[in-house]
Amino acid sequence: MSSQAMNIVCAVDFSEFAPSVIEHALSEARHHSRVALHFITVLEPGKGLFSHTEPATSELEEAEQKLRSLVMETLPTFAEDGGKAIRKLRFHARVGKPEDEIIELSYEAKADLIILGRRGARRGRKMGSVATRVVEATPCTVYVVQLSAYETATEDYELCAECVQVREESAGEEWFCPAHSEG
């Protein structure tokens, strides 16, 4: 392992993806001997809770505190070493376009990795526009988290009930029923 810290930027938007994105960032941090974690949330003027043109300082402070609380309540689960591997834990609340602010922070932090959610995927796109723009514009690895959607995915993919039963009964040791085990 390198003696240099791993720099991770984690974008949190307080959507249903937030807990999963935070957990993935903290889990990734456990794989490195020294980590600097930068959690960012972006307030976009005219959108969401901040419908006026420019969020006030108190709203930025509130967003940063909310971000800090979400991370700190999850941290003990992942910090088996008491958080010693995490060299720096930083919280950023910014105003602007989410993709621009995430990209800017990644350059400022010299990020090795960016973790964000796959929110907003619609109209046949595989990822939302923020995730797509971040992937296209950053020079580092981008880890895009999505929520498990196997319940809805099975509507498009027909599962063999017998195969499912074999998997459950064998705890995943066996995968196929006799009819499907031959190829």
Side-chain angles (χ1 to χ4, degrees), residues 104-176:
E104 185 175 317
L105 179 60
S106 74
Y107 277 93
E108 291 170 11
K110 293 184 173 53
D112 299 295
L113 176 65
I114 298 171
I115 301 175
L116 71 162
R118 179 191 167 258
R119 187 168 175 216
R122 52 182 107 94
R123 293 188 297 272
R125 289 187 298 188
K126 301 295 183 202
M127 289 190 294
S129 60
V130 172
T132 299
R133 290 181 190 132
V134 170
V135 167
E136 291 172 350
T138 56
C140 64
T141 300
V142 179
Y143 183 151
V144 181
V145 176
Q146 68 181 27
L147 299 177
S148 176
Y150 288 111
E151 296 78 29
T152 56
T154 56
E155 296 170 4
D156 298 331
Y157 180 76
E158 190 174 322
L159 296 175
C160 170
E162 290 181 44
C163 287
V164 171
Q165 185 177 355
V166 167
R167 285 183 203 126
E168 288 175 2
E169 289 174 356
S170 70
E173 291 294 317
E174 295 178 37
W175 273 67
F176 303 105

